[in-house]
Amino acid sequence: MRILLIGYGKMGRAIEAIAVGRGHEIIANVDTYDELNRFNLKADVAIEFTQPESAVKNILYCFDHQIPVVCGTTGWLDQKSEIEHLCREKKGGFFYASNYSLGVNLFFRLTSYLAKVMKPYPHYKISIEETHHTQKKDAPSGTAITLAERIILEQPLIKKWQSIETQDPSSLVIRSHRIDPAPGTHTVKYQSSVDDIEITHTAHSREGFAQGAVFVAEWMVNREGVYSMDDFLKV
């Protein structure tokens, strides 16, 4: 498999190591759209982990060059619906996940299940805490937002999430912390006056995220359409 790697920071290097170890070829490592636009690259798939301000241009480049793209950049999701529409219009392939770790995606499922189980007990106040390294620019993390969205689907009294403290029972608060060298910790909390219930996922390195991205890239070769981790995991 010939991979175009867009974004060559710590995550990109971790992806490269796993991809090469699995026998794949990295045909180019680029960090910016300007670098990308200098090439007319023939790749089987692109893996995009850059910055929110760059993601949309990079994804559109892949659509225009008929390269299926696996995107892990967060912080740009206000344009996601538009990107999905353009993907279908241009007959491209697009896969987005806020987190590619198998453990995190199992955690997503557990979060949905717990939210459903806790539906009859509205006296528990629900919140999310997430901690990442200081180089992560967006807050809350895409993973925390996905957790919030899954809770909202199962909890009819909660209508939205927000990152500012509030006593509004219809709002779910996400608290973000940026501390080095944390790769990523997410905790979902149910708190009452008599007890607390918490579930936590803690990443120990980037390897789990990188491995998942490579597995998905292998799956995306020659695919057309819009996909998510639910499609990949056949949930």
Side-chain angles (χ1 to χ4, degrees), residues 156-168:
L157 297 179
I158 300 178
K159 307 300 182 184
K160 62 185 177 180
W161 63 266
Q162 63 184 66
S163 53
I164 300 171
E165 293 291 339
T166 179
Q167 296 302 314
D168 180 358

Side-chain angles (χ1 to χ4, degrees), residues 130-150:
E130 59 100 354
T131 303
H132 282 85
H133 51 84
T134 56
Q135 291 176 326
K136 184 169 180 61
K137 294 184 178 181
D138 58 310
S141 68
T143 300
I145 292 170
T146 300
L147 290 168
E149 290 171 344
R150 290 198 169 224

Side-chain angles (χ1 to χ4, degrees), residues 149-197:
E149 290 171 344
R150 290 198 169 224
I151 292 168
I152 290 167
L153 283 174
E154 300 292 347
Q155 290 276 333
L157 297 179
I158 300 178
K159 307 300 182 184
K160 62 185 177 180
W161 63 266
Q162 63 184 66
S163 53
I164 300 171
E165 293 291 339
T166 179
Q167 296 302 314
D168 180 358
S170 69
S171 292
L172 189 160
V173 175
I174 303 177
R175 303 180 183 95
S176 300
H177 311 284
R178 295 295 174 262
I179 303 168
D180 287 326
T185 298
H186 294 84
T187 298
V188 177
K189 297 184 175 184
Y190 288 75
Q191 297 174 292
S192 77
S193 60
V194 295
D195 59 10
D196 295 346
I197 300 169

Side-chain angles (χ1 to χ4, degrees), residues 52-224:
E53 61 272 16
S54 307
V56 171
K57 282 185 177 180
N58 295 335
I59 294 164
L60 292 177
Y61 173 94
C62 294
F63 292 168
D64 290 340
H65 290 78
Q66 293 300 300
I67 303 171
V69 57
V70 174
C71 176
T73 303
T74 59
W76 61 275
L77 297 186
D78 56 328
Q79 299 177 74
K80 187 168 178 278
S81 295
E82 178 186 353
I83 285 295
E84 290 176 347
H85 172 76
L86 288 170
C87 175
R88 296 182 179 100
E89 185 178 85
K90 293 173 178 285
K91 299 188 184 303
F94 175 62
F95 190 110
Y96 172 79
S98 60
N99 196 306
Y100 284 84
S101 160
L102 175 60
V104 164
N105 282 278
L106 293 172
F107 187 61
F108 287 155
R109 293 198 212 178
L110 181 59
T111 296
S112 295
Y113 176 75
L114 180 58
K116 185 176 182 178
V117 169
M118 296 297 290
K119 192 183 300 186
Y121 310 105
H123 60 284
Y124 281 90
K125 177 68 174 175
I126 311 171
S127 63
I128 296 171
E129 290 204 16
E130 59 100 354
T131 303
H132 282 85
H133 51 84
T134 56
Q135 291 176 326
K136 184 169 180 61
K137 294 184 178 181
D138 58 310
S141 68
T143 300
I145 292 170
T146 300
L147 290 168
E149 290 171 344
R150 290 198 169 224
I151 292 168
I152 290 167
L153 283 174
E154 300 292 347
Q155 290 276 333
L157 297 179
I158 300 178
K159 307 300 182 184
K160 62 185 177 180
W161 63 266
Q162 63 184 66
S163 53
I164 300 171
E165 293 291 339
T166 179
Q167 296 302 314
D168 180 358
S170 69
S171 292
L172 189 160
V173 175
I174 303 177
R175 303 180 183 95
S176 300
H177 311 284
R178 295 295 174 262
I179 303 168
D180 287 326
T185 298
H186 294 84
T187 298
V188 177
K189 297 184 175 184
Y190 288 75
Q191 297 174 292
S192 77
S193 60
V194 295
D195 59 10
D196 295 346
I197 300 169
E198 298 184 5
I199 54 173
T200 298
H201 176 274
T202 301
H204 300 305
S205 72
R206 291 180 176 83
E207 185 176 346
F209 310 121
Q211 186 181 66
V214 173
F215 289 167
V216 168
E218 293 170 347
W219 185 81
M220 276 297 291
V221 172
N222 296 322
R223 286 187 186 269
E224 180 184 311

